[in-house]
Each structure stands twice: as structure tokens, then as C-alpha cells.
Amino acid sequence: MTELTMRQIRQLEHDLLAQRNGVAAEAHDELTRATQQSYAAIAGEVPDFGDQATAASLADYDNALARRHVEAIREIDDALMRIKANRFGRCLECGIAMGYARLRAFPTARRCVACQGLHERTFALGTTPTL
Ligand SMILES: [Zn+2]
């Protein structure tokens, strides 16, 4: 796999920033929606089929979404840091250049396709690698 050109890195940085804005906007919309729903619940507008259960599941739902947004932004920021540190586009495990096509599709990728597959299989099986 060939090294990324400066131009490709700039394009990927642009993609990452656009993605970051998208996630931030989504998180903002979600927060606005959740806040409105909370007010509605407090005002007693939620149907009376177990108000507590409804409120609790809403909170869980919002927490899971918020966690996903925070996680997504963290991954994007990590990738932007790797660009700044000149470490972008190399596989975390084997160190090869990951290639522009993979990064264009998945700019926050930390591993090449082979290492990512191995990583996912290792964790999916819940096995501890024996060294
Ligand atoms: Zn690799």
C-alpha cells in the first residue's frame, strides 16, 4: 500500500472535520429533543402507563445515544491528533500504510483490514490471546 500524499491527508482531515460537525449537530438536536421530552414528562404529558418506567427507559436511551456521540467525537479527535502528529494512516498493529480507499471510507480506522478482522474475531470470541 502506498503512503498518503499531502493532498489526500488534507482531504481526509476535511472529511473528519465534516463528520465531527455532523455528530455535534446530531448530539445537539438529540439534547434539545431529550430536554423537551423531559419537560413534557415533568408536566405530566406522558401517558400514564407506568410513568417511572417510561422516564427510566428514556434516560437509558439518551445515555446510550450520548455515549455514542461522545465516543464518535473522541475517535474523530484521535484521528485528527494522528494527522497533527504525523502518525495518520498507519495500522496500529502492524504499521503498514492503510491506503487512501480504506481511509476515505473509514477515516477513523486504526487498523488495516487484516488486523481489524483479527482484532474483531479475538474480541467477538471473548478469548484472551495466549502469548
Ligand atoms: Zn495491520
Side-chain angles (χ1 to χ4, degrees):
M1 214 71 78
T2 54
E3 300 286 335
L4 298 171
T5 65
M6 254 348 254
R7 192 193 179 91
Q8 288 173 331
I9 290 175
R10 289 294 147 251
Q11 177 62 53
L12 290 163
E13 187 175 37
H14 180 267
D15 290 352
L16 283 161
L17 289 169
Q19 218 176 68
R20 196 185 196 286
N21 286 338
V23 174
E26 209 177 285
H28 179 265
D29 290 351
E30 191 51 42
L31 192 63
T32 306
R33 189 196 60 77
T35 306
Q36 282 164 355
Q37 281 193 352
S38 297
Y39 284 138
I42 290 164
E45 288 168 24
V46 171
D48 64 348
F49 50 87
D51 279 352
Q52 272 190 326
T54 308
S57 62
L58 248 181
D60 285 349
Y61 180 67
D62 291 342
N63 280 340
L65 258 177
R67 244 197 318 276
R68 245 188 11 235
H69 288 138
V70 168
E71 191 55 39
I73 287 185
R74 188 177 298 147
E75 277 185 21
I76 292 166
D77 284 350
D78 276 2
L80 289 167
M81 289 293 283
R82 291 197 296 278
I83 290 177
K84 284 206 187 349
N86 261 330
R87 290 187 290 110
F88 185 73
R90 293 207 161 269
C91 175
L92 188 73
E93 308 284 345
C94 69
I96 66 155
M98 285 190 275
Y100 187 55
R102 171 156 172 77
L103 290 163
R104 205 64 220 279
F106 188 24
T108 56
R110 294 165 159 278
R111 294 176 182 84
C112 70
V113 175
C115 290
Q116 185 64 37
L118 190 65
H119 179 79
E120 280 167 14
R121 276 194 300 280
T122 303
F123 280 90
L125 292 173
T127 53
T128 317
T130 49
L131 294 174

